[in-house]
Amino acid sequence: MDPVEKFETGLRAVRAEYREALEGAADEQSLRAANARLVGPNGRLTQLMKGMREVPADRRRELGRAANALKAEIAQLFEGRLEAIARAALEAELTGPALDPTLPGRQVPPGHLHAITRVKHELLDIFTSLGFEVADAPEADTHERCFDMLAFPPDHPATDMQDTFFLTHTDEGDPVTTLLRTHTSTVQIREMSRRPPPLAIVSAGAVFRRDDDRTHSPMFHQLEGFLVDEEVSFTHLQGVLRVFLERLFGADIEVRFRPSYFPFVEPGAEVDVRRPGGEWMEILGCGMIHAQVFENVGYDPEKVRGFAFGLGIDRIAMVKYGIPNIKLLFDNDVRFLASF
Ligand code: PHE
């Protein structure tokens, strides 16, 4: 073929196709590949221009100019496309989702409820299944509800300032003294003061005492339960507690009631449990609600009877999970808490 005709045909072909080749490239890599096929060292236009030697001298200048013009057009389109692709990529990154789904996920071990909370739920579940209602009460309460209305004598050692955490201390004459409750028995006063019998209530929460050793913490947890109706006897109390303790520890648990003293019950008792072959373990205090308490909340002690009990939730958690020191429950060391 005539070199001039060959050159012109080649030039026409490249001109006709380059636009589509470059514009069809969707990303930088394929754009660069398409560009190289046109103007790279072995590109079509480069090859064509190498054949310039064969073109007669009188046409060389004109055809050379046309080839250079085409090369410039290709370079311009290539630069434009390169910029557009970069801009689109940046735009996609800025407006796209803020996370990189290709990163490996972070390990988040699933948590679980604290041992105290689990035991608390378990205890409340047993009592609600027996028909008790759950009540809530504040951790800070009055001296009156914590001691006086529960028939503690004014000079009872438990009311001594040394034995609890007083929040406001006021001078003699001002009867309202607030403190961190030393037991959940405040719930008895709160609930009986605001509604008439019959009542069957449980309540669980933190209590505070000036106690601090392997089995005592200044903050610990109690569950209080009480029932008031017309005909309630100590036998009812024993029956409810037996059912409760058997559900909690298993049907083969032994239960023992020992006479004991609490100002707000008469008679009062402490309850011990023993696993077959094991040691007796004190688990709760209980008794028949004292007539004085009924009078203090406005109930007629001639017409109503009731029983009450209080137990340490932490103590039960320690027994249940074999925890030797109560402080371990409150150190918040995940290695410990995750282990049971
Ligand atoms: N409140 C008592 C205590 O903290 C326990 C108790 C509750 C005893 C109800 C009798 C009746 O030791």
Side-chain angles (χ1 to χ4, degrees):
M1 201 199 280
D2 168 39
V4 172
E5 202 186 321
K6 191 179 165 197
F7 194 91
E8 284 180 324
T9 308
L11 218 53
R12 261 199 305 277
V14 172
R15 176 165 290 148
E17 292 163 26
Y18 85 90
R19 196 163 286 279
E20 199 181 332
L22 294 184
E23 281 174 353
D27 53 34
E28 185 179 336
Q29 201 186 343
S30 45
L31 177 68
R32 287 190 188 280
N35 190 57
R37 282 194 292 275
L38 293 165
V39 294
N42 294 309
R44 288 168 66 193
L45 188 59
T46 314
Q47 292 299 332
L48 212 57
M49 287 166 94
K50 275 180 190 160
M52 184 67 86
R53 266 176 262 111
E54 291 157 40
V55 172
D58 62 332
R59 301 295 307 279
R60 225 177 260 169
R61 195 183 165 89
E62 174 210 339
L63 292 179
R65 205 178 276 151
N68 279 326
L70 181 57
K71 199 176 168 184
E73 271 177 54
I74 292 172
Q76 201 186 341
L77 182 61
F78 171 72
E79 291 302 330
R81 287 288 300 142
L82 201 58
E83 221 179 280
I85 286 173
R87 223 182 302 119
L90 179 65
E91 187 75 8
E93 205 177 304
L94 291 178
T95 60
L99 62 94
D100 180 353
T102 64
L103 286 175
R106 243 176 252 164
Q107 287 289 320
V108 180
H112 61 66
L113 293 174
H114 193 280
I116 300 281
T117 307
R118 292 217 303 275
V119 172
K120 180 170 105 178
H121 289 175
E122 192 182 340
L123 304 183
L124 290 173
D125 280 352
I126 296 175
F127 284 110
T128 52
S129 80
L130 294 174
F132 283 76
E133 177 189 335
V134 177
D136 211 0
E139 293 170 4
D141 214 324
T142 60
H143 188 285
E144 209 182 8
R145 280 191 285 260
C146 197
F147 301 118
D148 308 327
M149 289 182 78
L150 285 164
F152 280 79
D155 59 348
H156 192 281
T159 68
D160 194 309
M161 273 190 60
Q162 297 289 310
D163 282 355
T164 187
F165 297 93
F166 282 72
L167 295 177
T168 57
H169 174 64
T170 44
D171 285 336
E172 239 175 284
D174 188 345
V176 181
T177 303
T178 308
L179 46 84
L180 296 184
R181 64 180 179 186
T182 58
H183 55 176
T184 44
S185 298
T186 51
V187 180
Q188 294 183 38
I189 302 300
R190 287 185 160 269
E191 295 301 317
M192 287 193 273
S193 298
R194 70 186 185 89
R195 50 187 167 147
L199 291 179
I201 288 171
V202 278
S203 185
V207 298
F208 307 83
R209 285 185 198 178
R210 216 172 141 275
D211 261 347
D212 207 0
D213 61 32
R214 209 170 52 80
T215 54
H216 295 86
S217 156
M219 187 280 303
F220 61 107
H221 301 83
Q222 282 189 336
L223 179 135
E224 189 87 6
F226 62 99
L227 182 148
V228 184
D229 207 339
E230 280 167 21
E231 296 293 335
V232 182
S233 71
F234 197 85
T235 318
H236 292 128
L237 169 61
Q238 287 184 298
V240 166
L241 290 181
R242 255 177 218 288
V243 168
F244 161 68
L245 293 168
E246 283 173 11
R247 285 215 200 152
L248 183 63
F249 292 114
D252 57 353
I253 198 81
E254 277 186 86
V255 180
R256 170 172 88 177
F257 286 74
R258 264 187 301 115
S260 186
Y261 174 75
F262 301 95
F264 40 94
V265 290
E266 177 59 34
E270 266 165 294
V271 176
D272 304 329
V273 294
R274 180 165 74 173
R275 287 220 168 87
E279 301 259 301
W280 285 111
M281 199 167 49
E282 185 190 316
I283 210 89
L284 58 84
C286 64
M288 300 305 292
I289 297 175
H290 200 290
Q292 184 62 56
V293 174
F294 283 143
E295 253 172 49
N296 293 346
V297 298
Y299 285 5
D300 182 349
E302 297 297 325
K303 294 210 175 107
V304 295
R305 293 283 181 274
F307 64 72
F309 53 89
L311 57 89
I313 299 176
D314 318 67
R315 166 77 61 101
I316 289 175
M318 288 171 76
V319 170
K320 207 172 151 66
Y321 297 113
I323 298 164
N325 188 326
I326 193 169
K327 302 302 188 309
L328 289 166
L329 287 167
F330 307 124
D331 281 345
N332 266 353
D333 185 332
V334 173
R335 290 166 301 178
F336 168 75
L337 294 176
S339 69
F340 52 83

